[in-house]
Amino acid sequence: MKHVSILIPETAVIEAIADPRYLFTAVNEFLQASGKLPLFKVELVAMTREVKLNNNLFSVHADKLLHEVERTDLIFVPAISGNVGYAMEANQELIPWMVKQHAKGAEVASLCLGAFLLASTGLLNGRKCSTHWLFANQFREMFPDVELVDGSIITDAQGLYSSGGANSYWNLLLYLVEKYTDRDTAILAAKYFAIDIDRESQLAFMMFQGQKGHEDAKIKKAQEFIDGNYQERITVDQLADMLALGRRSFERRFKSATKNTVIEYIQRVKIEAAKRSFESSRKNITEVMFDVGYTDTKSFRDVFKKITGLTPIEYRNKYHKAVPVLQV
């Protein structure tokens, strides 16, 4: 049997503990119903016998303590909540245990913000990783040696797995079910839990936050100008001249401060404005395109799909709720 260890970190999101346990236990039942033997031995593992979560609203009891697990095959690192720094400090004991088990051959899968704990092990250095889009900048600052993949639902880095934000971890769970069993079992699980098995991106859910958590005053001034004038055609030279900086110096400082190139930032601000318009207005694609400063339909469509993972019309159809007409 495959030994699955689901960690119970301090400040964990309880659903990210219960859901993998529920899924892999259900897969055992599916296998037995088809005349096969159960494959997974699922255990909750923690630093203490009882972990209280959500301000003591929930209490989770561990099947095993860390030192009682001699060897395991797959470790789940659930999402953490609240202050990330505090959560990492409170769960330091988990770090060497994961490193030790990985050295013995265990694979490790982080769910959502569990990526912060997994990255703390150093095992992801030089490798790719996914996490919740809202915490991407903080993750990059804390773990510059890890290659964070923007918008990805699932990342597989040679037995070190990670998932995107919130419920995206269901797709990683199904991915691992398929890896350890087969496609038919994964499809059955997807149907049972009503999950879109092949969803690959969280781009459509991402909201651009402006990336102003830096101390470069001139770059902030450029960002504020872009934010306030996204309807216009803005060039890199125009911004550099406005700040009395050479183009190369400006581009270097902008990328260092925001983690985006100037062009990428301008595009993301424009597309964020277009998204809001699609969500809340009845304007057609062309009207929105002109509103955010694009004049070429193909260019607008290509940039929109690159950033959101959807075409403009797909995004509008997905997120715009038509106001019902009252019949009198």
Side-chain angles (χ1 to χ4, degrees), residues 243-304:
L243 299 174
L245 292 173
R247 176 174 175 139
R248 292 181 63 182
S249 175
F250 170 59
E251 288 181 312
R252 183 175 62 253
R253 283 173 61 170
F254 197 98
K255 181 67 179 289
S256 175
T258 70
K259 307 300 185 285
N260 277 171
T261 66
V262 183
I263 297 301
E264 287 170 344
Y265 188 90
I266 293 171
Q267 289 175 340
R268 294 185 69 177
V269 170
K270 287 176 178 289
I271 297 307
E272 190 64 30
K275 286 164 58 181
R276 292 196 300 270
S277 186
F278 286 137
E279 292 162 7
S280 61
S281 78
R282 295 186 177 185
K283 292 182 178 180
N284 62 36
I285 305 299
T286 302
E287 289 174 319
V288 172
M289 177 185 75
F290 284 126
D291 282 350
V292 299
Y294 279 91
T295 56
D296 180 78
T297 303
K298 183 179 184 304
S299 175
F300 176 64
R301 185 185 184 280
D302 289 348
V303 174
F304 194 97

Side-chain angles (χ1 to χ4, degrees), residues 170-293:
W170 277 102
N171 295 87
L172 176 56
L173 297 180
L174 290 176
Y175 177 84
L176 292 170
V177 167
E178 180 174 353
K179 178 174 181 177
Y180 279 94
T181 59
D182 52 45
R183 179 70 174 178
D184 288 342
T185 303
I187 291 173
L188 176 58
K191 291 180 177 180
Y192 183 84
F193 289 96
I195 305 164
D196 182 357
I197 190 171
D198 288 323
R199 189 162 67 90
E200 297 179 349
S201 174
Q202 58 179 333
L203 289 173
F205 306 105
M206 295 173 69
M207 294 185 295
F208 187 52
Q209 299 296 304
Q211 300 171 323
K212 297 184 177 70
H214 58 83
E215 302 302 323
D216 193 323
K218 285 199 170 185
I219 299 306
K220 282 185 179 178
K221 184 177 179 181
Q223 290 175 271
E224 289 165 2
F225 181 86
I226 295 167
D227 295 348
N229 297 275
Y230 62 83
Q231 305 94 333
E232 309 298 329
R233 182 177 181 272
I234 304 171
T235 67
V236 177
D237 287 331
Q238 174 188 356
L239 293 169
D241 290 344
M242 181 181 75
L243 299 174
L245 292 173
R247 176 174 175 139
R248 292 181 63 182
S249 175
F250 170 59
E251 288 181 312
R252 183 175 62 253
R253 283 173 61 170
F254 197 98
K255 181 67 179 289
S256 175
T258 70
K259 307 300 185 285
N260 277 171
T261 66
V262 183
I263 297 301
E264 287 170 344
Y265 188 90
I266 293 171
Q267 289 175 340
R268 294 185 69 177
V269 170
K270 287 176 178 289
I271 297 307
E272 190 64 30
K275 286 164 58 181
R276 292 196 300 270
S277 186
F278 286 137
E279 292 162 7
S280 61
S281 78
R282 295 186 177 185
K283 292 182 178 180
N284 62 36
I285 305 299
T286 302
E287 289 174 319
V288 172
M289 177 185 75
F290 284 126
D291 282 350
V292 299

Side-chain angles (χ1 to χ4, degrees), residues 87-126:
M88 292 174 63
E89 183 66 28
N91 291 292
Q92 277 301 302
E93 193 176 337
L94 301 178
I95 306 305
W97 183 85
M98 285 190 280
V99 172
K100 179 181 178 182
Q101 291 296 332
H102 181 262
K104 291 182 178 181
E107 297 190 318
V108 189
S110 67
L111 308 182
C112 191
L113 296 187
F116 281 81
L117 294 178
L118 178 54
S120 296
T121 65
L123 297 173
L124 285 174
N125 288 353

